[in-house]
Amino acid sequence: MTDPIKQVSSRPLPALPGHSYHTRRLSEDTINIVTPASVHFYLSSHPEILEQFVTDVVPYETVERWMAKKNKHASENKRLSVVPVCAIYSQSNIKHVQNALVDGSKTDNEITSLLYNLCAVMSNSIKADEFLYYTLAAGGKSLVKYKVASTASDTISSSMQFLIPVGKYTTLAGHVACSREAIFTTDVVEDDRFPEGTGSPGSNVRSALAVPLLSGKDLIGILEFTRYWESPPLSKNDLQIVIAMASWTGIALSQLKTNMMLVKQTELNDFLLQITRDIFDDLTGTESLVAKIMAHTKLLVDADRCALFMLTEDKSQLYAEVFDEGKKDDEGNSIFSKSTNSIRFPSDKGIAGHVAQTCEVVNIPDAYSDHRFNRDIDMKTGYTTRNLLTMPIICKNKVLGVVQMVNKKNGTVFTNADEMSFKTFAVYCALALHYSKMYRLTIRQQKVLQVTLEMLSYHAKCGEDDLNKLRRYPHIKEIPEDFQLYSFYCDDYEAQLPQLYIYMVQKLFGPDTFDLSSLCSFILTIKKNYREVAYHNWDHAFTVCHCMFTVLLSMIESEEGCPFDLLEQQAFMVATIAHDIDHRGYNNDFFNKCKEPMAALYSTSTMEMHHFRYTCTVLQQQDNQILGHLSREDYKKILQYIEHAILATDLTFFMPNQKRLSHRLENNSLDLNVWEHRQDVKAILVTVCDMCAVCKNWDVQQNVAKLIYEEFFFQGDEEKKRGLEPIPMMDRARSDQIPKQQVGFINFVSPAYKLIAMIFPCCQPLLDGLRENLDNWQRIASGKEPGMWEVDKSRRKP
């Protein structure tokens, strides 16, 4: 960049006007009016005086040094106008030239290259010694010179130089970029508007002019032309020529951008038609809809990355489930990934939160200079965010989400045109998202209604006669002798089971903890709402609850005492008796494969979630409010405990829980005072009770196995009717494999019984019973005692 001080000090000043090189002295007035320009003019008009001065005064060595310096300076500042202009303008066929210009102006880099060549044409037309073309950088706050490397093929390349700040009283180009007005000066050194001179290297610039290149309201670049001291200064006529050509160029650029916008609008219209089809073809596919919105948004504004954050119903959070990691497929289309863990953050945080709250458009040309930008994500991912365009998606005056476009390609910034394009597109995005959401809600409500009607048609409250009878005689006359043993089986006490449940609850918690009348209604309602399926019925529920009762009672009566508090114990007794309520005799996989309405309500643990919801419904009925004595906080807490216990009966959670507990026992780190440890132990304990039939006497085990397979085969038969292939365990045609399958199942669940016996020694009888039954099944499976697989046979004697 030209240094004005160097421009004066490095140029040898000739004799001042009126100087005779004798004894004559300059007057004070003469000195005050002397300027470098007047001296230069005088010496140019009187070269003989300069020659006389150099001959008489200047030493020969100095003249040699001057000549060497001048030769070097002349070599460095060889006129750039002799560089060949782009070959496009060498053609005589104007139509070919126009076509070449249109074909070569599809990207910002191509347009910049053509503008540079046009700048060279202007330079030739006004006979400038040098020209420079500046482009915008740092979000429009700085300029950078567009540098060229001329080769035999006229290849244009750009390289980022040091940044030139935009502002008055800097450089000539910086001043013009700030004022956006053309400037002409005959003496750069003396013009105090440009203390940092021009962008030309060296110190021989005399006159200069600079013109802004505008396209509408957008500043595209700065054209700068200079002449050296050896040439006559630029004139106002030269300025007019450049202004005329730059003005027409700006108009052409505006038309070009309009044409490009029309092309994008056509693409947008095509996309809107396609997205309309997508809405009606797959209204439930929100993820695919979001991915398509993100993909087209990137194309629409030429962004490198895009993110779409949806607003939750209560407007408290923004979340994203589909992510743009910058990956592309073989055809160059963006690939968007879905994570199991969505990103969620408060809706009043960050730039996206600001847009969601205010509905304002936020266009940040330089992200790192804006205090609202969070750099943490860039630091974690290694991705550098330069600029951002964040806009809301609004429907019916409500914000549905926020789209964030990151890094305009080719190093530029997002423009007003980008904002307008996306505003149009956002209207259709809002409609698509809104009606997709409405459609999904409608479908869900239909499923809820269908399930509810099915429940109501099948179930009813407990009969008044049965309830009155139990309220009159709530206590059983005689407790079975083996009732407090794990081996107890309820098959012979069907009529007394409600009374036995009341006995278990009062035995553990005393006669006054629960209202007896409500307890009677509750247990009869629970019983009524178990379906008459082969295995997951009322008898199974009581068996599981009895096992939990026996465990808790053994803990209470042990020296160590029970490690669970009263709320946890009460939750166990409610959860185990209700854990399979309204079971239909099918497993979760059946509902998902057959696309049953139940599967649409719950994404995971379908039946377990249904059991819990149904239990809550029973507990909230007026006559069944056995937990009504609890405080609001304790009521909320016990419902959480019940939910955790019922969900623990889903065997998909068994292996992770078992592995965590095994690891903690191995390294002696299990601590029931740690919440996560305690939850895992409670889950395993419920799992052990749920499968306690494998620990019963051999005759009971055989009978239960028969009931289980009767239910399995019923599901398998139904799957075959629907054209599905059942798993071997549910295929009636493979019933001969039952002993082998039982061996495999018991081996699968046995680690749970080993763990629970290690944690609670009072559970050792459960493990002993399991091992004996496993031995029996292994004998049958190996063919040693095939006659043992008969339900009517009693337990094998040692």
Side-chain angles (χ1 to χ4, degrees):
M1 191 185 301
T2 304
D3 186 333
I5 303 300
K6 291 183 179 179
Q7 286 183 350
V8 176
S9 62
S10 64
R11 187 169 67 248
L13 295 177
L16 297 176
H19 188 65
S20 63
Y21 297 106
H22 296 296
T23 58
R24 198 157 128 210
R25 300 173 62 92
L26 293 174
S27 68
E28 196 70 19
D29 292 337
T30 302
I31 293 175
N32 289 336
I33 63 173
V34 172
T35 65
S38 63
V39 172
H40 188 278
F41 178 81
Y42 179 83
L43 293 179
S44 298
S45 304
H46 302 83
E48 69 279 3
I49 295 179
L50 175 59
E51 180 180 354
Q52 182 181 354
F53 176 82
V54 172
T55 303
D56 295 344
V57 179
V58 180
Y60 178 79
E61 294 78 11
T62 303
V63 174
E64 275 193 327
R65 188 172 68 253
W66 286 353
M67 290 305 296
K69 185 175 181 180
K70 183 171 180 61
N71 289 335
K72 180 179 179 181
H73 182 72
S75 176
E76 290 176 347
N77 293 282
K78 186 177 181 180
R79 291 178 55 161
L80 296 179
S81 58
V82 300
V83 176
V85 180
C86 185
I88 292 176
Y89 303 110
S90 301
Q91 303 180 56
S92 58
N93 190 316
I94 301 300
K95 187 63 176 177
H96 290 171
V97 174
Q98 291 176 341
N99 291 337
L101 289 175
V102 172
D103 293 338
S105 57
K106 294 180 179 178
T107 67
D108 290 339
N109 280 344
E110 291 175 340
I111 293 174
T112 302
S113 177
L114 290 175
L115 289 176
Y116 179 85
N117 279 279
L118 184 60
C119 193
V121 173
M122 295 182 191
S123 180
N124 282 342
S125 66
I126 64 174
K127 295 181 174 57
D129 290 324
E130 186 178 359
F131 73 89
L132 289 170
Y133 178 64
Y134 299 86
T135 58
L136 297 176
K141 296 181 180 180
S142 301
L143 299 173
V144 64
K145 286 188 286 186
Y146 187 82
K147 196 73 174 176
V148 297
S150 182
T151 65
S153 59
D154 285 345
T155 300
I156 306 281
S157 63
S158 65
S159 61
M160 299 300 286
Q161 305 289 306
F162 56 86
L163 297 179
I164 301 170
V166 170
K168 294 184 178 180
Y169 305 105
T170 54
T171 63
L172 173 61
H175 191 100
V176 171
C178 179
S179 65
R180 299 199 175 190
E181 293 182 356
I183 291 182
F184 162 73
T185 180
T186 57
D187 193 329
V188 175
V189 176
E190 285 298 309
D191 199 322
D192 57 5
R193 291 176 297 175
F194 326 118
E196 296 181 28
T198 68
S200 302
S203 56
N204 202 29
V205 175
R206 176 183 185 179
S207 59
L209 66 87
V211 176
L213 186 58
L214 300 172
S215 175
K217 296 181 180 180
D218 295 327
L219 178 64
I220 305 301
I222 303 295
L223 311 175
E224 184 182 279
F225 305 90
T226 57
R227 283 188 187 170
Y228 305 148
W229 283 99
E230 297 83 12
S231 305
L234 291 164
S235 65
K236 291 186 177 180
N237 184 56
D238 298 323
L239 178 63
Q240 291 176 355
I241 293 172
V242 174
I243 289 176
M245 297 181 74
S247 298
W248 279 106
T249 301
I251 293 173
L253 279 175
S254 296
Q255 292 299 318
L256 176 62
K257 288 191 173 182
T258 300
N259 181 63
M260 294 174 68
M261 192 177 299
L262 288 174
V263 172
K264 286 188 175 181
Q265 185 64 46
T266 301
E267 295 175 352
L268 175 60
N269 292 339
D270 293 339
F271 172 77
L272 295 177
L273 289 174
Q274 183 61 45
I275 203 172
T276 302
R277 296 190 190 99
D278 292 341
I279 292 172
F280 291 97
D281 290 343
D282 185 16
L283 282 174
T284 59
T286 305
E287 294 171 16
S288 61
L289 182 60
V290 168
K292 289 179 181 179
I293 290 174
M294 292 168 64
H296 196 76
T297 298
K298 291 175 65 176
L299 294 174
L300 189 67
V301 300
D302 206 22
D304 183 55
R305 298 279 180 94
C306 181
L308 175 55
F309 301 97
M310 300 299 295
L311 194 63
T312 56
E313 284 293 329
D314 60 1
K315 299 182 180 181
S316 64
Q317 288 185 321
L318 286 166
Y319 68 95
E321 296 179 335
V322 180
F323 303 93
D324 181 9
E325 299 175 351
K327 299 178 181 178
K328 295 184 180 296
D329 59 19
D330 296 336
E331 297 178 0
N333 299 317
S334 297
I335 298 176
F336 300 95
S337 59
K338 183 182 185 302
S339 175
T340 54
N341 298 320
S342 61
I343 292 179
R344 289 179 179 266
F345 56 93
S347 59
D348 59 350
K349 299 297 183 182
I351 297 172
H354 174 79
V355 172
Q357 294 291 326
T358 63
C359 298
E360 296 176 356
V361 175
V362 174
N363 190 345
I364 301 177
D366 186 4
Y368 279 75
S369 65
D370 194 295
H371 69 278
R372 294 170 296 182
F373 177 69
N374 185 358
R375 304 186 184 187
D376 293 342
I377 296 179
D378 278 11
M379 295 176 64
K380 291 178 180 178
T381 62
Y383 184 78
T384 301
T385 301
R386 299 190 309 274
N387 42 61
L388 290 168
L389 175 59
T390 309
M391 301 182 69
I393 295 179
I394 302 174
C395 184
K396 295 184 177 181
N397 297 322
K398 294 182 179 180
V399 176
L400 297 181
V402 173
V403 174
Q404 196 166 72
M405 294 143 274
V406 183
N407 287 357
K408 179 82 170 179
K409 290 184 178 178
N410 302 316
T412 55
V413 297
F414 295 105
T415 62
N416 293 331
D418 294 328
E419 295 180 21
M420 295 304 298
S421 296
F422 185 78
K423 279 183 179 179
T424 302
F425 175 53
V427 174
Y428 292 89
C429 292
L431 290 174
L433 291 169
H434 175 72
Y435 284 109
S436 175
K437 178 181 178 182
M438 291 298 101
Y439 181 82
R440 285 183 289 109
L441 287 176
T442 301
I443 295 298
R444 177 177 173 82
Q445 291 304 317
Q446 290 177 350
K447 300 294 185 183
V448 171
L449 179 60
Q450 187 175 351
V451 172
T452 302
L453 291 175
E454 184 183 356
M455 288 164 48
L456 292 176
S457 64
Y458 185 86
H459 298 301
K461 291 184 178 180
C462 61
E464 288 294 328
D465 291 342
D466 292 336
L467 178 58
N468 292 332
K469 181 179 179 180
L470 182 60
R471 283 174 174 171
R472 285 197 303 269
Y473 306 106
H475 304 296
I476 191 169
K477 293 182 179 180
E478 186 177 353
I479 304 299
E481 292 183 3
D482 61 343
F483 189 72
Q484 295 185 16
L485 302 178
Y486 291 112
S487 58
F488 173 80
Y489 190 58
C490 63
D491 199 33
D492 296 330
Y493 302 93
E494 186 67 32
Q496 292 81 33
L497 294 185
Q499 291 175 311
L500 286 173
Y501 179 78
I502 294 173
Y503 166 78
M504 291 190 294
V505 170
Q506 293 187 341
K507 178 72 172 177
L508 291 173
F509 312 118
D512 301 324
T513 299
F514 298 106
D515 176 71
L516 184 57
S517 178
S518 298
L519 190 60
C520 292
S521 178
F522 168 77
I523 192 58
L524 288 179
T525 303
I526 290 293
K527 177 185 177 183
K528 176 66 177 178
N529 285 276
Y530 270 94
R531 300 196 181 198
E532 293 181 1
V533 295
Y535 174 68
H536 290 96
N537 50 34
W538 164 246
D539 287 350
H540 166 69
F542 187 89
T543 300
V544 176
C545 184
H546 171 265
C547 184
M548 179 61 72
F549 161 74
T550 307
V551 170
L552 293 177
L553 187 62
S554 299
M555 291 179 180
I556 293 171
E557 293 177 349
S558 67
E559 294 182 2
E560 296 81 7
C562 185
F564 305 112
D565 60 37
L566 280 177
L567 278 183
E568 290 174 314
Q569 295 176 44
Q570 292 170 13
F572 280 140
M573 293 302 292
V574 173
T576 51
I577 198 65
H579 77 281
D580 274 332
I581 191 171
D582 195 45
H583 200 291
R584 284 90 186 285
Y586 304 114
N587 63 11
N588 291 335
D589 190 49
F590 175 85
F591 290 98
N592 293 321
K593 288 192 299 184
C594 298
K595 296 182 173 20
E596 291 290 311
M598 187 76 73
L601 294 181
Y602 312 106
S603 58
T604 59
S605 302
T606 303
M607 286 307 299
E608 288 75 20
M609 286 300 302
H610 176 65
H611 301 324
F612 169 67
R613 298 294 183 191
Y614 207 109
T615 302
C616 292
T617 300
V618 172
L619 286 169
Q620 289 168 1
Q621 292 175 356
Q622 184 174 0
D623 293 338
N624 303 327
Q625 296 179 5
I626 60 173
L627 305 179
H629 64 285
L630 297 175
S631 66
R632 184 183 183 88
E633 182 179 349
D634 285 346
Y635 185 81
K636 182 178 179 180
K637 188 182 295 185
I638 198 171
L639 286 184
Q640 293 174 345
Y641 293 163
I642 293 171
E643 179 181 20
H644 176 260
I646 293 178
L647 290 181
T649 62
D650 184 350
L651 283 181
T652 58
F653 298 127
F654 166 63
M655 285 304 295
N657 289 345
Q658 182 259 322
K659 288 182 179 179
R660 288 194 297 268
L661 276 179
S662 296
H663 177 72
R664 290 165 187 156
L665 285 173
E666 288 174 2
N667 58 25
N668 199 29
S669 62
L670 180 64
D671 184 356
L672 291 180
N673 294 317
V674 177
W675 174 256
E676 291 80 5
H677 296 198
R678 192 179 189 87
Q679 291 294 90
D680 286 345
V681 170
K682 288 164 63 177
I684 287 291
L685 180 58
V686 172
T687 301
V688 163
C689 292
D690 188 29
M691 299 181 294
C692 66
V694 298
C695 311
K696 299 292 184 181
N697 294 337
W698 176 239
D699 57 332
V700 173
Q701 163 65 174
Q702 290 184 88
N703 185 50
V704 170
K706 178 183 177 181
L707 297 175
I708 290 174
Y709 277 94
E710 182 181 337
E711 188 171 294
F712 283 175
F713 293 155
F714 179 79
Q715 176 176 325
D717 295 342
E718 184 64 26
E719 289 177 350
K720 288 180 180 180
K721 290 179 184 178
R722 303 191 185 198
L724 302 174
E725 182 67 25
I727 62 175
M729 187 177 289
M730 297 184 179
D731 191 348
R732 193 179 299 273
R734 303 185 183 186
S735 59
D736 58 320
Q737 299 180 11
I738 289 177
K740 183 178 179 181
Q741 292 170 355
Q742 281 296 99
V743 170
F745 176 75
I746 295 177
N747 279 325
F748 172 72
V749 301
S750 62
Y753 290 88
K754 294 177 183 176
L755 287 173
I756 212 68
M758 292 174 64
I759 300 171
F760 305 119
C762 62
C763 297
Q764 182 64 37
L766 290 172
L767 179 59
D768 295 338
L770 176 141
R771 286 171 172 169
E772 190 166 350
N773 286 327
L774 176 60
D775 181 58
N776 290 336
W777 284 116
Q778 286 174 335
R779 286 173 175 272
I780 298 172
S782 64
K784 292 180 180 180
E785 295 189 38
M788 288 181 61
W789 173 224
E790 297 178 21
V791 178
D792 296 334
K793 292 281 186 179
S794 61
R795 192 170 188 168
R796 179 175 60 88
K797 300 298 187 293

